[in-house]
Amino acid sequence: MLPKDYAAQDCSIARGLELVGERWTLLLLRDAFYGVCRYSDFRERLDIPKAVLAARLAALVDSGVMEKRPAPDGAGTRHEYVLTDLGKQLWPAVVALGRFGERAAPNAEGPRKHFRHLDCGGRLDAFCRCERCGATVENPADAEVVPGPGDRNAREDRISRALRAPHRLLTPIA
Amino acid sequence: MLPKDYAAQDCSIARGLELVGERWTLLLLRDAFYGVCRYSDFRERLDIPKAVLAARLAALVDSGVMEKRPAPDGAGTRHEYVLTDLGKQLWPAVVALGRFGERAAPNAEGPRKHFRHLDCGGRLDAFCRCERCGATVENPADAEVVPGPGDRNAREDRISRALRAPHRLLTPIA
DNA sequence: CGTGAGAGGTTCGGTGAACGAACCTCAGTC
DNA sequence: GACTGAGGTTCGTTCACCGAACCTCTCACG
């Protein structure tokens, strides 16, 4: 969350928040789970100031949550930012926050987006359990994002449009 | 996290972060799960500016995450702030963030604090599953916080001292 | 070879939130 | 009637966020 550290808070939650608690950071990570991996795509989807995006990405790379590397398609000056194993540990936190947000500020038309178990098509609850088969989905790659009934999604950027169809997590978009 | 809203982010996670994403808010909720419920106790434990604490508590009450009510012990001008049912939905998010923080910035001596299943004494993983009996602990009242080997905890306030012994969640401290 | 465009930034001035100290108010108590 | 502790509010300073403008490097094209 925030600019300064939580000094004097000898607590794992505080440590975690120092890494991912600043404004924008968790939305950025959400998109990383969705498969966004390029600087310009993050920008397009989040409407985040460039300076802030650069700072957040650098901080995430620095703390080992994301990895920055040259784009695989060889193209010139491109990079990609992908979640490290450490970053993927945030999976249950992202899911839980999403379910909370949905309950706290529900859409009249239903959920906007949700996560579905690839194996059986069941929805994931706040504990990442598949509501159909009961399994806890520990690996985000075993799930997909699907638009829900309330996904009016006014955004028209490349990424938001791509996400109007189901998409497997951690798979780069386009 | 942050001051402003995430306009134009039509997403449950963004909605969730608007409610609990500002600086201090999640630490405050962590303490609420621990059983802290008085204004002055939050202050003592968090070293948070009074104005900010008042603003955060008001916002949480306003959004239905916490409830403010006169203290049950009848004492004069006292209040207590407790989690509502909506607030308790944050349980998996708090646990997941804690486990993440622990992995991202580990203590040499081991975890500082962790959660234990009351029924069987097993530790909870990032998905709130008991590592001993395998059950998903959906209700925070079925768990307790226990200090771990790395709990050097320099703080000497009332609350931090009380939490050096195992304590059932959602049970008011002292 | 020169020009242009897109990716991935950095720099800069203005605004608004967080910080911390001081002050305020009300209930009970001595 | 004075004091104390709970639960705040007010105020000036500092610092991060914002957004616009600018910079650099690589590739594509003529």
Side-chain angles (χ1 to χ4, degrees):
Chain A
M1 294 24 268
L2 326 99
K4 258 196 270 178
D5 60 347
Y6 294 108
Q9 289 292 325
D10 188 22
C11 156
S12 308
I13 299 173
R15 294 284 94 79
L17 287 174
E18 284 181 9
L19 300 186
V20 303
E22 286 171 299
R23 183 155 157 79
W24 296 114
T25 303
L26 271 165
L27 290 183
L28 210 151
L29 290 164
R30 169 203 65 182
D31 282 357
F33 277 106
Y34 285 174
V36 177
C37 52
R38 296 219 325 258
Y39 181 94
S40 45
D41 287 344
F42 283 117
R43 247 194 68 76
E44 208 174 327
R45 212 170 114 76
L46 294 174
D47 290 329
I48 179 180
K50 299 181 95 176
V52 176
L53 175 57
R56 292 294 180 276
L57 286 171
L60 288 171
V61 168
D62 195 61
S63 59
V65 174
M66 296 189 92
E67 188 190 353
K68 174 183 188 173
R69 58 190 191 203
D73 55 351
T77 176
R78 290 190 173 185
H79 303 112
E80 60 177 20
Y81 292 88
V82 295
L83 290 165
T84 61
D85 283 344
L86 175 61
K88 293 176 194 166
Q89 307 288 329
L90 281 162
W91 166 238
V94 168
V95 172
L97 255 173
R99 295 298 305 229
F100 168 76
E102 196 180 306
R103 202 171 297 217
N107 247 3
E109 306 94 45
R112 289 158 265 247
K113 276 195 185 344
H114 52 92
F115 297 110
R116 208 160 57 177
H117 190 198
L118 274 178
D119 289 1
C120 75
R123 217 188 141 181
L124 303 193
D125 70 8
F127 301 90
C128 294
R129 282 176 309 183
C130 171
E131 289 178 351
R132 187 166 305 173
C133 73
T136 296
V137 178
E138 301 187 38
N139 185 353
D142 292 336
E144 61 181 357
V145 219
V146 314
D151 192 21
R152 34 199 198 307
N153 200 338
R155 303 192 61 85
E156 278 303 334
D157 54 275
R158 232 170 47 83
I159 305 298
S160 300
R161 246 173 305 149
L163 286 176
R164 296 212 186 105
H167 180 80
R168 184 178 183 191
L169 295 190
L170 300 184
T171 309
I173 289 181
Chain B
M1 298 11 299
L2 330 91
K4 259 197 265 177
D5 60 348
Y6 294 107
Q9 288 291 326
D10 187 22
C11 156
S12 308
I13 299 173
R15 295 284 93 78
L17 287 174
E18 284 180 10
L19 300 186
V20 303
E22 285 170 298
R23 184 155 157 77
W24 296 114
T25 303
L26 271 164
L27 289 184
L28 209 150
L29 289 165
R30 169 203 64 182
D31 282 358
F33 277 106
Y34 286 175
V36 178
C37 52
R38 295 221 324 259
Y39 180 94
S40 46
D41 288 343
F42 283 117
R43 246 193 71 74
E44 209 174 325
R45 212 170 113 77
L46 293 175
D47 291 328
I48 179 179
K50 299 180 96 174
V52 176
L53 176 57
R56 292 294 180 275
L57 286 171
L60 288 171
V61 168
D62 195 62
S63 59
V65 173
M66 297 189 91
E67 188 190 353
K68 175 183 186 174
R69 57 191 192 202
D73 56 350
T77 177
R78 289 192 175 183
H79 303 112
E80 61 177 19
Y81 292 88
V82 296
L83 291 166
T84 61
D85 283 343
L86 175 61
K88 292 176 193 165
Q89 306 289 330
L90 281 161
W91 165 238
V94 167
V95 171
L97 255 173
R99 293 298 305 229
F100 168 76
E102 196 180 306
R103 203 172 295 220
N107 247 3
E109 306 93 44
R112 290 159 265 248
K113 277 196 186 342
H114 52 90
F115 297 109
R116 209 160 57 179
H117 190 198
L118 273 178
D119 289 0
C120 75
R123 218 190 141 179
L124 303 193
D125 71 8
F127 301 91
C128 295
R129 283 177 309 182
C130 171
E131 288 177 350
R132 187 166 304 174
C133 72
T136 297
V137 178
E138 301 187 38
N139 185 351
D142 293 335
E144 61 180 356
V145 218
V146 314
D151 192 22
R152 32 198 200 306
N153 201 338
R155 304 191 62 86
E156 279 303 333
D157 54 274
R158 232 169 48 83
I159 305 299
S160 300
R161 247 174 305 149
L163 286 175
R164 294 212 188 105
H167 180 81
R168 184 178 183 189
L169 295 189
L170 301 184
T171 310
I173 289 181

